[in-house]
Amino acid sequence: MADPQERGKAPAGRGEAPRRRRAHTTSRDLERYANLFARRTQAMRSSAMRDLMAITARPEVISLAGGLPDTSTFPSDSFAAQMTRIAHESSAEALQYGPTEGFEETKACILEVMAAEDMAPDPDDLIVTTGGQQAIDLIAKTLVNPGDPVIAEAPTYPGAVATLCSYEADVHQVSTDDDGMQIDELEELLAGLATTGRRPKFIYSVPSFQNPAGVTLSGERRRRLVELAREHEVLIVEDNPYGLLRYEGDPEPTLYSLDGGDYVLYLGTFSKILSPGIRIGWVAAPPPVLEKIGLGKQAADLCTSTLSQYFVREYFGEGRWRGYIADLVEIYRARRDAMLDALDRHFPEQSAWIRPEGGLFLWATLPDYIDTTDLLAKALRENVAFVPGRAAYLDGRGGASMRLNFSGSDEEAVREGIRRIGQVVSEQVALYETITGEHRAAPPPEDDQPGGDVVPIPRRR
Ligand SMILES: Cc1ncc(COP(=O)(O)O)c(C=O)c1O
């Protein structure tokens, strides 16, 4: 066998094409391509988590940055049995294209999941998508012209920031507190936009265990939000990947169930309750909107992976999906508690965070003289990562906040990760106090805080 070093030099035979090494990009190269880019690429933003993934994949790094469910909890023997059954019984079909809107059998599984949160859409109102992320993209593709107003929470899901930017939406972010989006502020915003004749295309919300803030929209606010959508004839996009991952407290009704599906477009996904690797999500929408979304999907990818849909069908056929979610809830609750405990031990008193009742994330806010984007570089030197708060805003806010994920690492790693971040934060606090001679007390309770910038969470000690 040829020495690997030599292989590139061998004459190109079958399977032996010499690998072309890319030289450094020159300014001439940049110019050549730059003139070709569409205008919308100027507004495109990279997702902070995607950028971090390459670094956090290193085994020595404890990543509290990703939104990763712990897929090692899925029993590998049952995965093997399901895939073997597919190979033996439906190989040709599973390897084939499928309908753009998804298979009826996949929709039947989706209906089971939605029923668990008291929703019962008509299967014809559903399209199976390549993850929830594609559903966000297709909705934006269907509804948003450059410059159109769209409303989102502050902070909002960083993956939605990337999508909304690429469609050149004019995003207005509404502050959030412990009870989710502040509806009074939303009402003012809607009224303000109406006076200038601008009608937002939709209000994007993650009402349960929000990514990134971890907060949940209260029942009262949910009702008010749905009423406002009707009054102003504005669509709501309810993105609900985490609703079934509740560790304490009582569930709130989904916006979709409160509205009945007239103004609320509902997004779901199997990513957090089964596997993100299978890339299956869905959207439920009123028929005229769904039809356009379907056309958008045809152009995007023809259909969602048939093989993945067959896997979902097999998995649900075994009837243990509820049991698996119950297992995840136990595991993630323990990890959340480990993180809360470690924060108490290792973060300086000037910091604050929320106690999420479910989901995968916790949002922490540090003294305003700390910039978490700078802090991340220091944290990475200690082999630990988080998502800097700015990734969740379009207007530069969130500089002193961070998103911490507790589902992707075991309890020991979660504790160690927080210890390392706490150490870096404490060093910054000590440095600040040395330079300024100042000792800042913990932030005042929520009611005394001026303005609603980021999630004004404190109340921890
Ligand atoms: C709020 C929210 N929406 C959508 C997604 C995308 O999920 P997926 O495309 O894996 O279904 C995520 C993933 O973290 C999320 O947190």
Side-chain angles (χ1 to χ4, degrees), residues 13 88 114 122 190 203 206 219 221 223 255 260 264 279 288 339 342 346 351 418 440 461:
H88 284 149
M114 290 184 74
D122 184 325
L190 286 171
I203 302 166
V206 183
R221 288 190 185 178
R223 288 184 186 81
L255 302 173
V264 177
R279 308 302 305 128
M339 185 172 275
H346 300 297
S351 39
I418 293 295
R440 289 222 194 163
R461 283 196 165 93

Side-chain angles (χ1 to χ4, degrees), residues 159-316:
V161 170
T163 307
L164 295 172
C165 283
S166 63
Y167 286 99
E168 301 174 76
D170 174 22
V171 182
H172 299 253
Q173 289 188 274
V174 175
S175 308
T176 322
D177 60 21
D178 284 4
D179 288 331
M181 192 197 298
Q182 295 184 13
I183 302 298
D184 292 348
E185 191 179 312
L186 171 68
E187 206 166 347
E188 276 170 34
L189 175 62
L190 286 171
L193 286 169
T195 56
T196 56
R198 300 181 81 205
R199 179 178 166 206
K201 285 296 172 76
F202 57 85
I203 302 166
Y204 171 76
S205 172
V206 183
S208 295
F209 320 127
Q210 199 231 23
N211 178 3
V215 293
T216 292
L217 193 65
S218 68
E220 195 186 322
R221 288 190 185 178
R222 284 173 193 245
R223 288 184 186 81
R224 190 75 197 107
L225 175 57
V226 168
E227 272 168 29
L228 275 178
R230 288 184 169 268
E231 275 167 33
H232 290 261
E233 299 207 310
V234 174
L235 296 177
I236 296 173
V237 174
E238 175 176 33
D239 189 3
N240 186 26
Y242 307 106
L244 292 175
L245 296 175
R246 176 174 275 282
Y247 315 133
E248 61 191 43
D250 296 323
E252 297 293 352
T254 60
L255 302 173
Y256 187 82
S257 62
L258 289 173
D259 164 73
D262 292 332
Y263 286 92
V264 177
L265 278 58
Y266 182 87
L267 311 188
T269 177
F270 289 115
S271 285
K272 314 297 167 158
I273 56 170
L274 170 55
S275 149
I278 60 170
R279 308 302 305 128
I280 299 206
W282 64 91
V283 50
V289 183
L290 202 71
E291 196 188 318
K292 298 285 186 205
I293 291 175
L295 295 176
K297 182 165 169 70
Q298 281 180 26
D301 66 354
L302 306 180
C303 66
T304 297
S305 160
T306 307
L307 186 55
S308 292
Q309 293 188 68
Y310 269 62
F311 169 62
V312 168
R313 175 204 293 193
E314 281 299 322
Y315 171 67
F316 273 72

